[in-house]
Structures are given as structure tokens and as C-alpha cells.
Amino acid sequence: MLHAPRRPVVGIIGNAHLMNDRYEVHAAGHINSEAVAEVAGCVPLIVPADPRFVSVADLMAVCDGFLLTGGRPNVHPDEYGEAETPAHGAFDRGRDAITLPLIRACVESGQPFFGVCRGFQEVNVAMGGSLYPEIRDLPGRTNHRMPPDGTMEEVFAHRHVVKFTEGGVFARLMGASEVMTNTLHGQGVARAGARIVIDGVAPDGTPEALYVKDAPGFTLSVQWHPEWNAANDPVSRPLFTAFGDAVRAWAVGAYTARG
């Protein structure tokens, strides 16, 4: 009896959350699973990002790739050598403890990951970079935060241009030097980490697209939220399609290596 080939597994990094203000859960948005399953063509698996429950080695053995999701908690400034202030917002230290070493391990091994919003910031911090606690407070910068009101369509609507490096990785993938994106973040890259290539910026100079130089695997990361309407958005779809292709290639190689 012939069996259909196994779809590769993408670990979707979950965020610690209180349901009904008292029940602890690890959660990830439905649109993340939808983008992974329907556009990347992989099995979405929500990860409880807490070292009490999983290790980096566990995750790399179980998953073929990782989606580093957005989330309200921010990377703790201790991780880039700065003191905590009220402007830094809420934190998820369990997630910090899993994702930062996971990113470094994947960079070295070639196992693919795709960073989104907080995930984009995690990649920079994991490689030794730092973050601004509040972009809108910087001279010359605009407010990149999500609108406080409105429907989901209005919250995730395109709000600014991202300009890519001419002939760079993102420009080649998109077939365009500029695209329109949504924007739902308060923090942003201050100092780029070692090997971090900023490959796309907003009109106010805020970094919006990056990858890790000379990494053997897929490391593309974006500051916006491409998981929204990923199947239909002409900017989102190529990102998740390329990520899915990279995850499938890794899964085939890992299966071959295991014999």
C-alpha cells in the first residue's frame, strides 16, 4: 500500500497568554497556522516556547522549520545588554530562553526559519543586535503601531512602502524593488547584529526586512505581518511559498540522513 509523503512540520512559536485573565495557555494566531498549512504547504505545530517543557534540541528533532511569530511581549533588554524601562513593555522570558538559542542553532545548521514582527526582532537580538523600545519616539520616525480601533481588515491594511536593496534577496524574490505592507509594531532594530543584512526599509528608515549573511539555510525575516491574507497577498505569498520550499528541502535531507 502506497502512502502519501509526509508533509514537513513547521514549529509555530507560541506566546504565553492568560485566557480569561487566569488560565495559562501557549497561543498562536489562527492566521499563522493557515499560512503555514495552505501557502507553505506544511503541518503547523504550535510550540510551547518555555524551557520547562521543551529544549532547542527537542524542537530541532521534531520540526523541519520554524515560524517565529509576532506577539505582544517584547524581547527583554537584558538580552542585548540594556536596562529594563517602562517603555520596553511586557516580556516573555520563557520565549526568550527558547527562541534566541534556537535561532543561533538554526543559523549554524541550516534548518530554516522565517521571522515575523517580534520574530524579526529576535533574529537581530540572537545575532548580537539591539532594539529601540519605541520607534514612534525617535526623531523623524512615524508611528508603526497597529491602529487602536477598526476591523481586522483595517488593522492589517497596507500602510506604508518597504523599499528593498536593488538586486538583493527580497527584491529578487518579490520581483519588485518596492512593496506595500501592513505595520503593527512598536519596537524596531537599533543596532544590527553580526551577519545581519538589512535588505528592506520603511520610508522613515526603519528596518523592515533582513536575513543572516552566509547562513546555509532560509533566514528571511520581516517586520510586518505577512501571515494576514497570505494566500492572496502578492507580497505575503512569495515569502511563505519560499519558506515552504526551504522546509521541504530540509525535510528531505534530514530524512535521507536518517536513512
Side-chain angles (χ1 to χ4, degrees):
M1 181 177 178
L2 296 176
H3 296 279
R6 178 182 74 87
R7 282 196 299 163
V9 175
V10 168
I12 299 176
I13 300 300
N15 290 294
H17 178 68
L18 278 180
M19 183 183 293
N20 297 327
D21 296 321
R22 60 179 177 178
Y23 186 73
E24 295 183 356
V25 300
H26 278 99
H30 179 275
I31 54 178
N32 291 299
S33 297
E34 185 175 59
V36 166
E38 298 183 1
V39 184
C42 301
V43 175
L45 181 67
I46 297 175
V47 170
D50 189 316
R52 295 176 296 171
F53 312 130
V54 296
S55 70
V56 168
D58 291 334
L59 294 177
M60 294 179 75
V62 169
C63 301
D64 300 297
F66 299 94
L67 178 62
L68 308 169
T69 59
R72 186 169 296 278
N74 296 311
V75 179
H76 198 283
D78 276 355
E79 302 292 349
Y80 46 93
E82 296 183 11
E84 176 185 336
T85 71
H88 285 97
F91 307 110
D92 184 344
R93 297 313 304 269
R95 174 166 170 162
D96 292 345
I98 289 295
T99 55
L100 300 180
L102 175 65
I103 289 163
R104 290 188 284 265
C106 287
V107 166
E108 294 311 308
S109 70
Q111 195 159 356
F113 62 77
F114 180 22
V116 169
C117 199
R118 174 188 159 120
F120 169 94
Q121 296 165 8
E122 286 173 326
V123 175
N124 185 54
V125 172
M127 301 305 291
S130 64
L131 304 174
Y132 289 120
E134 189 63 73
I135 290 292
R136 63 184 173 182
D137 291 342
L138 300 174
R141 300 292 184 94
T142 57
N143 184 3
H144 288 249
R145 285 190 173 274
M146 66 184 289
D149 301 304
T151 64
M152 290 291 284
E153 288 76 14
E154 290 167 337
V155 167
F156 283 96
H158 291 166
R159 287 173 53 204
H160 67 61
V161 166
V162 171
K163 185 173 183 178
F164 301 127
T165 304
E166 199 69 39
V169 172
F170 280 87
R172 294 197 303 271
L173 178 62
M174 299 294 176
S177 59
E178 292 186 0
V179 298
M180 285 293 294
T181 72
N182 55 43
T183 182
L184 294 88
H185 64 103
Q187 299 197 326
V189 170
R191 181 185 70 254
R195 301 170 60 189
I196 293 293
V197 178
I198 303 299
D199 204 38
V201 296
D204 65 357
T206 298
E208 294 278 343
L210 64 76
Y211 62 91
V212 181
K213 184 179 180 181
D214 297 329
F218 187 102
T219 63
L220 271 58
S221 302
V222 298
Q223 183 63 89
W224 68 91
H225 284 267
E227 71 274 24
W228 171 257
N229 196 28
N232 302 306
D233 184 81
V235 176
S236 300
R237 189 172 188 90
L239 288 167
F240 276 100
T241 298
F243 175 54
D245 290 344
V247 174
R248 272 183 290 280
W250 172 270
V252 169
Y255 179 82
T256 302
R258 287 194 294 265

